Amino acid sequence: MKTNLLNFDLNGLTEHFAQMGEKPFRAKQVMRWMHQSGAAGFDEMTDLAKSLRAKLNDQAVVAVPDLLVSQESSDGTRKWLLDVGTGNGVETVFIPESERGTLCISSQVGCALECTFCSTGRQGFNRNLTAAEIIGQLWWANKAMGVTPKNERVISNVVMMGMGEPLANFDNVVTALSIMLDDHGYGLSRRRVTVSTSGMVPQMDRLKEVMPVALAVSLHASNDAVRDQIVPLNKKYPLKELMAACRRYLEKAPRDFVTFEYVMLDGVNDKLQHARELVELVRDVPCKFNLIPFNPFPNSGYNRSRNENIRIFRDVLQQAGFVVTVRKTRGDDIDAACGQLAGQVKDKTRRQQKWQQIVLEQRGSL
Ligand code: SAH
Ligand code: SF4
């Protein structure tokens, strides 16, 4: 079987080339071709010796997942559905803002952690994405938006907030992060690449050592009783341990705060007492808050908090001195909001059927 070079970061590719009897600078050249010029074949890599191109054609491929669907929302949000085999798809979302462009990427097909308010979690776990499939999402987004090394950087930020728990797919995610940060890859700043985790404490410690990018933690509750209910992983790593892990992470983090994500679920975690408890909980952890009004999906059993309650909650945090943002829902008309990303065959919701219909319609036109 041919080796997919998109699975390597620069170190891996350099090693691979050494085994082929090739010099390290060749690995750099090929990295730039693949990730900066969007090359998917070796014949395009015109500054490689003909003999090397022939050897690569023989032994290797640059295999990105197939693009199934590309959609654009009326607010400029874009979404791509990529084929990751056996009927599975993963979604990638691009959110343009005035000062930056953020790409939200997936790390797994489904997720095993079963947070009760998350559509991905409800679908169960299918498999980890390979490094090629993770970085392939950036590759496609750049390609679809016509990004070249010469024009302006359209994607300035990457957040691993799509489908899956990135730290449960540690090695492949770290390889993909390494390519994102590499000057021969996407050249992104550590501060502008964010891993979001539901709180896998040992892996947070490992990430801090090997690839300390910006960190977002899905907190969602102010005490263990509530968090045990909605984020089952909390039973394994309760809040006290999670807070300590956040503090340790900050010793190496590229930013001097952790972002706490907090989904606003009506009547579950959005009361005044919860806001006050939250202020106490995070007292020793430099942080910002991102309140996410719950995005509904069929049969979720939850409702979005009332706007008035979100405002009160935000005010309590702000008055305690925290920076708080309330996430605006973007891409509503293309179901691109957090927790709404589709993807699996197992998902039998109406949305999935809608997707399948779009896939079938578009397949003809691609
Ligand atoms: N698994 C990681 C990253 C992916 S989810 C994590 O849990 O952090 C990205 C964010 O969206 C998380 O904070 C997650 O809790 C939140 N989320 C999941 N489902 C949601 C929903 N239905 N509405 C709003 N936010 C949701
Ligand atoms: Fe998995 Fe994150 Fe969804 Fe929880 S919120 S089920 S960790 S993707």
Side-chain angles (χ1 to χ4, degrees):
M1 203 159 106
K2 293 186 179 181
T3 310
N4 185 1
L5 300 190
L6 282 181
N7 275 314
F8 293 120
D9 64 2
L10 185 57
N11 277 343
L13 195 63
T14 307
E15 220 169 273
H16 186 74
F17 272 40
Q19 281 162 15
M20 288 171 62
E22 296 294 334
K23 299 243 161 55
F25 81 94
R26 292 294 183 199
K28 290 185 178 151
Q29 269 178 310
V30 171
M31 281 285 280
R32 287 198 298 270
W33 274 112
M34 292 191 296
H35 298 295
Q36 297 182 355
S37 304
F42 302 112
D43 293 331
E44 293 172 53
M45 304 182 185
T46 43
D47 57 1
L48 299 186
K50 266 212 172 119
S51 56
L52 173 57
R53 273 189 264 163
K55 193 151 75 171
L56 287 171
N57 275 325
D58 230 31
Q59 302 176 5
V61 282
V62 181
V64 286
D66 282 340
L67 177 64
L68 290 174
V69 182
S70 173
Q71 281 190 303
E72 188 160 357
S73 157
S74 51
D75 68 9
T77 302
R78 300 181 63 155
K79 183 163 93 164
W80 299 276
L81 178 69
L82 301 181
D83 184 358
V84 290
T86 57
N88 288 310
V90 289
E91 292 180 345
T92 304
V93 176
F94 177 72
I95 306 142
E97 286 166 296
S98 50
E99 303 279 301
R100 61 184 180 186
T102 303
L103 192 70
C104 177
I105 66 176
S106 298
S107 56
Q108 299 182 308
V109 184
C111 181
L113 296 182
E114 301 187 327
C115 301
T116 53
F117 53 84
C118 171
S119 158
T120 308
R122 290 278 186 94
Q123 290 166 24
F125 176 65
N126 191 305
R127 70 169 174 86
N128 281 330
L129 294 182
T130 62
E133 289 165 338
I134 299 171
I135 208 67
Q137 298 170 60
L138 247 103
W139 190 96
W140 264 119
N142 270 338
K143 177 82 86 194
M145 296 192 290
V147 178
T148 67
K150 285 186 197 73
N151 67 17
E152 221 171 292
R153 187 159 291 157
V154 179
I155 298 170
S156 59
N157 295 54
V158 172
V159 293
M160 301 210 70
M161 294 184 187
M163 293 171 68
E165 164 56 49
L167 297 187
N169 182 13
F170 194 87
D171 292 344
N172 294 342
V173 163
V174 165
T175 300
L177 290 172
S178 162
I179 300 169
M180 287 176 215
L181 302 183
D182 202 304
D183 282 342
H184 303 284
Y186 295 86
L188 293 170
S189 141
R190 250 175 227 292
R191 301 160 53 86
R192 291 169 171 270
V193 175
T194 302
V195 164
S196 172
T197 179
S198 53
M200 299 190 75
V201 165
Q203 288 80 358
M204 287 164 67
D205 285 330
R206 278 176 70 200
L207 187 71
K208 140 183 171 239
E209 295 307 325
V210 300
M211 197 65 61
V213 293
L215 185 70
V217 172
S218 293
L219 194 55
H220 305 322
S222 56
N223 62 55
D224 283 318
V226 174
R227 197 162 192 267
D228 281 351
Q229 292 299 317
I230 60 178
V231 183
L233 185 70
N234 195 64
K235 294 182 193 137
K236 200 160 176 191
Y237 306 115
L239 285 170
K240 193 157 179 268
E241 285 181 38
L242 182 56
M243 291 302 117
C246 290
R247 278 197 299 276
R248 289 195 296 276
Y249 195 89
L250 285 171
E251 292 163 12
K252 296 265 176 80
R255 290 176 175 266
D256 54 9
F257 61 89
V258 170
T259 303
F260 285 129
E261 295 159 279
Y262 197 101
V263 63
M264 302 294 299
L265 302 166
D266 185 40
V268 176
N269 64 355
D270 66 346
K271 301 192 178 125
L272 185 59
Q273 87 213 43
H274 294 133
R276 291 187 177 138
E277 199 173 34
L278 197 54
V279 169
E280 290 309 311
L281 176 72
V282 305
R283 195 157 279 290
D284 300 327
V285 184
C287 64
K288 291 186 181 175
F289 283 96
N290 192 353
L291 305 181
I292 316 172
F294 171 65
N295 290 308
F297 56 90
N299 305 320
S300 74
Y302 292 108
N303 292 314
R304 182 179 289 186
S305 298
R306 294 184 14 228
N307 284 344
E308 176 62 10
N309 290 342
I310 298 178
R311 242 191 328 270
I312 295 170
F313 203 93
R314 182 200 59 195
D315 289 350
V316 171
L317 297 176
Q318 277 178 344
Q319 276 155 22
F322 293 104
V323 173
V324 188
T325 51
V326 178
R327 194 174 293 172
K328 276 186 285 179
T329 298
R330 296 283 303 261
D332 243 354
D333 51 341
I334 57 168
D335 282 346
C338 323
Q340 289 193 320
L341 300 191
Q344 285 208 80
V345 229
K346 274 198 243 158
D347 179 1
K348 296 280 191 288
T349 61
R350 269 182 299 130
R351 190 188 63 233
Q352 181 68 13
Q353 284 159 16
K354 190 174 89 196
W355 262 118
Q356 278 162 355
Q357 192 187 345
I358 299 168
V359 170
L360 292 174
E361 281 166 9
Q362 298 231 342
R363 260 190 185 147
S365 62
L366 276 175

